[in-house]
Amino acid sequence: MDDTERIAMVGFDADDTLWRSQDYFDAAQLEFERLLAPYVDLADSRAQQRLYEVESRNIAVFGYGVKGMVLSMIEAAVELTDARISASDLHRIVGLGKELLRHPVELLPGIREAVEAIARDFEIVLITKGDLFHQEAKVRDCGLADLFRRIEIVSEKDSATYARLLAEFELPARRFVMIGNSLRSDIAPVLALGGWGIHVPYHTTWAHENAVEIDAGSPRLRTVSAADQLPAAMAELARVAAGGVAGTS
């Protein structure tokens, strides 16, 4: 077998791949809607959709993460209520952000064992996006940081970002696998470069992260339903990359 075709490195996403994240954002959005309810009809105002629209257009300004979400909530609240929202309710929205930033890191079931198993056979790196301060704190507190060769916190996870990182790793995309819950950020960009992906869907995902079309039947892609299936899926992709026979997924 040609060693130049073997998979040499595995990247892991962080939020909702290693630990819970979106659950807390969903809870904050429900509280945001509760705060707006005295001012507007939530259904008629399309509060949830309007917030998503504000967040989407603000990504280029604020980036991803809690702070951008809170600023977008404040902007959306002012717009939706025609500036009638009280200062105390705006202050409560700021409080939602502080609560999100203070949540302890809760690893997903089986992920520690899966990461350790994969790290025995491959170099692993952590590639995540979001607010630098918050992501650094979560990485520090997760208890897994020492397993990763490198930890990259980036502003966006697209093909250009992955291409830059792979160039720094001196590794062709065909020897790289990315594991994550987001089709948009973890899977599609790496497949586009000629790499491999393992999709681990989470039970709740921000709409922005699913807004991409992808070939679910790609031979370079596997989908698993839980962390304990990751080592087997990784071993299968490694066999295929090295010229073995693909199994079913």
Side-chain angles (χ1 to χ4, degrees):
M1 296 181 183
D2 186 354
D3 284 345
T4 63
E5 300 301 319
R6 289 181 182 273
I7 290 171
M9 181 180 289
V10 180
F12 280 86
D13 170 51
D15 292 337
D16 298 320
T17 298
L18 300 183
W19 53 68
R20 292 179 62 199
S21 178
Q22 189 60 38
D23 302 272
Y24 301 129
F25 284 85
D26 290 348
Q29 179 158 319
L30 288 175
E31 178 64 11
F32 170 77
E33 293 175 11
R34 189 192 69 78
L35 288 170
L36 290 188
Y39 301 95
V40 298
D41 183 293
L42 293 178
D44 287 347
S45 67
R46 300 184 303 116
Q48 188 174 102
Q49 179 62 27
R50 292 278 292 280
L51 174 59
Y52 176 65
E53 290 169 357
V54 173
E55 286 183 289
S56 296
R57 71 175 184 245
N58 281 341
I59 287 173
V61 180
F62 301 139
Y64 296 93
V66 173
K67 296 170 187 175
M69 180 186 183
V70 169
L71 289 169
S72 294
M73 280 183 168
I74 291 171
E75 182 179 345
V78 172
E79 290 181 3
L80 285 163
T81 65
D82 295 323
R84 291 181 293 113
I85 189 166
S86 68
S88 61
D89 283 336
L90 290 176
H91 189 261
R92 174 58 186 144
I93 292 173
V94 174
L96 290 177
K98 291 182 178 180
E99 291 168 13
L100 284 170
L101 291 169
R102 291 169 179 159
H103 270 297
V105 176
E106 182 181 345
L107 292 181
L108 295 176
I111 196 65
R112 180 185 299 277
E113 294 79 6
V115 173
E116 290 173 344
I118 292 171
R120 285 194 287 269
D121 297 319
F122 305 92
E123 284 193 312
I124 64 171
V125 294
L126 181 63
I127 304 174
T128 184
K129 68 182 181 184
D131 177 79
L132 178 62
F133 182 83
H134 192 205
Q135 293 301 95
E136 284 182 336
K138 288 191 284 187
V139 169
R140 181 190 64 232
D141 296 339
C142 74
L144 300 175
D146 290 345
L147 295 172
F148 295 99
R149 168 186 162 182
R150 279 179 58 170
I151 295 169
E152 297 287 341
I153 301 172
V154 298
S155 58
E156 185 59 273
K157 290 166 74 176
D158 53 17
S159 291
T161 297
Y162 285 107
R164 174 181 62 79
L165 292 175
L166 289 169
E168 292 179 10
F169 301 151
E170 298 183 339
L171 190 73
R174 67 179 182 275
R175 304 190 66 197
F176 178 74
V177 178
M178 186 67 191
I179 296 174
N181 72 297
S182 169
L183 291 173
R184 181 189 186 113
S185 295
D186 304 319
I187 305 302
V190 174
L191 293 182
L193 292 172
W196 307 74
I198 302 179
H199 184 215
V200 195
Y202 195 57
H203 70 90
T204 177
T205 303
W206 186 31
H208 182 79
E209 295 300 332
N210 284 327
V212 65
E213 291 186 6
I214 196 167
D215 178 10
S218 169
R220 292 179 174 271
L221 172 65
R222 296 294 181 273
T223 299
V224 301
S225 59
D228 60 4
Q229 298 171 15
L230 285 171
M234 189 59 242
E236 183 188 348
L237 285 186
R239 287 194 300 271
V240 175
V245 178
T248 59
S249 61

